[in-house]
Amino acid sequence: MSANRPSADVVLSELVPRVVIAATAVAMCLGGLVECVELSRHLKLALCAFADRALPSDLSEAAEAACDLLDAVRDGNVPVFDHRRDRLGRALARYWAARARDPTVGG
């Protein structure tokens, strides 16, 4: 590995917060699908940055919900988008609750 190239751990430590921040922003967006399109693009880019690497297991539920939400955005399906955004919000609530209970948990 060259001195200028970060290790995989450093890259992952930078990518996880991007996914969490983008997913949280989408889940908290009170607008409908149209208002959330730009935030959804950021979420898609954050998830795509992982390429073929697995997300940390504690983020897997939220990542799955986020991918399903992105399918609804792609399809332009407003009722499904609303349902999946709620699902993403619940998954993120569990993710953040785990951190509230144990602030030493990474991510």
Side-chain angles (χ1 to χ4, degrees), residues 27-106:
M28 292 180 71
C29 181
L30 297 179
L33 187 147
V34 172
E35 290 84 3
C36 294
V37 168
E38 182 64 26
L39 289 173
S40 297
R41 277 188 227 143
H42 290 288
L43 177 57
K44 181 177 180 179
L45 290 171
L47 288 168
C48 288
F50 272 88
D52 58 352
R53 292 176 288 188
L55 284 154
S57 61
D58 62 341
L59 195 54
S60 62
E61 179 188 6
E64 182 180 324
C67 289
D68 289 346
L69 177 134
L70 292 172
D71 289 344
V73 172
R74 181 198 62 225
D75 296 341
N77 191 326
V78 173
V80 172
F81 169 82
D82 291 340
H83 172 74
R84 291 181 178 174
R85 182 181 51 191
D86 291 345
R87 178 177 159 222
L88 176 60
R90 289 188 303 273
L92 286 165
R94 286 186 284 277
Y95 174 85
W96 285 115
R99 270 133 198 81
R101 288 184 201 101
D102 183 1
T104 63
V105 173

